[in-house]
Amino acid sequence: QEQLLFRALNLLKFRAIRLRNRLSPSAPSRKAMNQIDEMLRVVEEIRCRLVNSNLRLVFGLARKFSPQTCDLDEFFSDGCMILLGAIDRFDYSRGFRFSTYATHSIQRHFYRVWKARQRRKERFPNAAAEMLAAVPNMTVESPLWDDAEAVLNNLLANAKTVLDDREHQILLSRFGLKSSTSRAQ
C-alpha cells in the first residue's frame, strides 16, 4: 500500500509538471489549469495520509531524543518538518520501507541538534553557577538580601491590592513565600 501511494504521488506530480510546462504563458488553458489543480489536490491528500500514518513514529523519536518535556514540542515540530522532506525525497524503487528511511532522516536531524546543544553547553557553561561560586559567602544580613527582600515585600503588597485573599494565599503557597505581615513578626 505504501508503494502504491508513493507511485501515485510521483506519477501525479510528474503529470502536473509536464502539463504545466505545456501551458502557454500568454493564454493558459482553463481546462489544463483545472487538471493541474486537481492533480495537486490529490498529491496533497496522499502526502497528508503519509504524514498522518507516520506521526507516531515522529513522536516516539522526539520523545527518545528530547532531554526535557519542554523540548518535546520543539523536537516533534522539527521531526514533522523532516518527515515532510523525507516524503518528497523518498525513492520507493530501491525496495526500502518508508518508515525506515524516515526514521534514519529524523534520527540524523535529532542527533545533529543534540550535538549542537552539547557544543553550545561546552562553549557557554552555566555562567550563573560560575558567578555564584566566585562570590564569597554572604550572610543573610547582607545589603543585597535586604534589597531583594524589600522588593519582594513591595511586590507582595501590590499583589494584595489586586488579588483577593484566596488568590493571594495561592500565590504565596505556590512560590513558598510568607506574607509581609508574618515576615515582620
Side-chain angles (χ1 to χ4, degrees), residues 7-125:
R7 280 183 180 186
L9 181 85
N10 290 340
L11 178 65
L12 288 171
K13 284 193 324 191
F14 172 76
R15 285 184 178 172
I17 290 170
R18 190 173 67 185
L19 194 57
R20 188 184 71 196
N21 290 339
R22 289 183 187 168
L23 286 176
S24 167
S26 58
S29 163
R30 171 68 79 198
K31 182 180 175 186
M33 293 292 290
N34 289 339
Q35 286 177 337
I36 292 171
D37 287 342
E38 180 62 24
M39 286 180 207
L40 294 178
R41 185 190 63 74
V42 173
V43 164
E44 276 305 307
E45 284 179 11
I46 294 171
R47 199 167 183 232
C48 286
R49 186 171 174 190
L50 289 166
V51 167
N52 286 334
S53 62
N54 287 286
L55 283 178
R56 288 181 66 198
L57 170 74
V58 174
F59 184 76
L61 292 171
R63 190 175 55 206
K64 178 179 158 187
F65 276 88
S66 67
Q68 299 166 348
T69 317
C70 59
D71 294 337
L72 183 62
D73 290 339
E74 183 180 339
F75 273 91
F76 182 69
S77 176
D78 285 352
C80 288
M81 295 304 293
I82 299 302
L83 179 66
L84 288 171
I87 289 172
D88 293 336
R89 291 186 306 273
F90 181 65
D91 183 9
Y92 67 89
S93 65
R94 297 178 113 187
F96 298 111
R97 294 192 53 171
F98 175 70
S99 59
T100 304
Y101 179 78
T103 299
H104 289 295
S105 296
I106 294 167
Q107 281 180 337
R108 271 196 320 267
H109 175 74
F110 287 167
Y111 183 72
R112 280 187 231 121
V113 168
W114 179 76
K115 285 300 276 183
R117 285 185 179 186
Q118 292 301 325
R119 283 192 301 269
R120 194 169 35 247
K121 278 184 182 177
E122 290 170 4
R123 198 166 169 208
F124 303 107

